[in-house]
Amino acid sequence: HGAVHEPVKQELTNQLNRMLVDNDVAASIIPYDNLLDLIIATPKFNRLAVNQVGQKLGADVILYVRVDKFSVKDDDISPLWHGQLEATVRVVDARTSDPVEVRMWPKDVPEGHRVEPVEIPPETNSSPGFGDALSRKMAGQMADRIAKFFYEHEESQESR
């Protein structure tokens, strides 16, 4: 199922990175491709702790986003597109291995902060690229929700 998530993870990462830099939350970011290179080059990558991955990539702080649910249709045979994206986010300190210090935010919820889900109402569309467009749209909305945890912004009616 991970391969299905890969394009949405990449889009989410790229948009989130841009928003964090544009809003002066991060001075620099590590490109998603660097992570993919590390995954390919590292046997048993999935056994690494988040802070170890950060150390290998030369990061100080990691914004870890776990995609909990991603779908563009309720089932394969449905003609209706129905986008759903759910994620949990946490901030990890890559400069320490201390199990308490490594967790920067949220301190009180080890698995991370659940982000308000992105849901696109059901619709029909026969365009061949619609699923990809829907994925990009959801990734952009989720990136916006996550980025806004980290900088001052005006609440708009749109984001509710």
Side-chain angles (χ1 to χ4, degrees):
H1 220 61
V4 176
H5 285 54
E6 211 52 55
V8 82
K9 285 181 186 174
Q10 187 154 8
E11 185 70 22
L12 177 59
T13 302
N14 292 341
Q15 292 199 40
L16 185 53
N17 285 345
R18 192 191 71 245
M19 290 173 191
L20 294 174
V21 171
D22 288 353
N23 289 284
D24 300 319
V25 176
S28 64
I29 52 93
I30 293 169
Y32 190 77
D33 288 348
N34 294 26
L35 174 62
L36 292 180
D37 292 344
L38 180 66
I39 292 169
I40 292 164
T42 310
K44 300 187 173 110
F45 174 85
N46 288 339
R47 292 195 185 158
L48 293 176
V50 175
N51 61 319
Q52 293 173 313
V53 173
Q55 289 163 6
K56 289 181 181 294
L57 291 171
D60 294 327
V61 175
I62 303 115
L63 175 55
Y64 179 79
V65 178
R66 186 183 71 217
V67 174
D68 299 317
K69 179 176 185 180
F70 168 70
S71 65
V72 290
K73 286 187 167 187
D74 294 333
D75 59 66
D76 291 339
I77 56 170
S78 172
L80 281 180
W81 294 94
H82 180 210
Q84 296 178 77
L85 178 58
E86 295 177 13
T88 306
V89 62
R90 59 190 162 113
V91 179
V92 175
D93 190 338
R95 298 160 298 191
T96 182
S97 298
D98 181 291
V100 175
E101 293 301 313
V102 79
R103 187 172 43 226
M104 296 173 81
W105 179 87
K107 286 281 192 192
D108 56 337
V109 188
E111 62 276 8
H113 181 82
R114 286 190 52 89
V115 184
E116 182 190 343
V118 170
E119 184 163 0
I120 309 288
E123 64 178 292
T124 54
N125 188 309
S126 56
S127 162
F130 189 73
D132 290 338
L134 190 60
S135 295
R136 280 194 302 277
K137 180 178 181 179
M138 289 191 300
Q141 288 182 12
M142 182 60 75
D144 185 59
R145 288 178 185 180
I146 293 168
K148 284 179 175 166
F149 288 132
F150 304 103
Y151 67 90
E152 295 281 326
H153 60 280
E154 293 293 316
E155 279 295 321
S156 67
Q157 292 304 316
E158 233 174 67
S159 66
R160 294 191 188 281

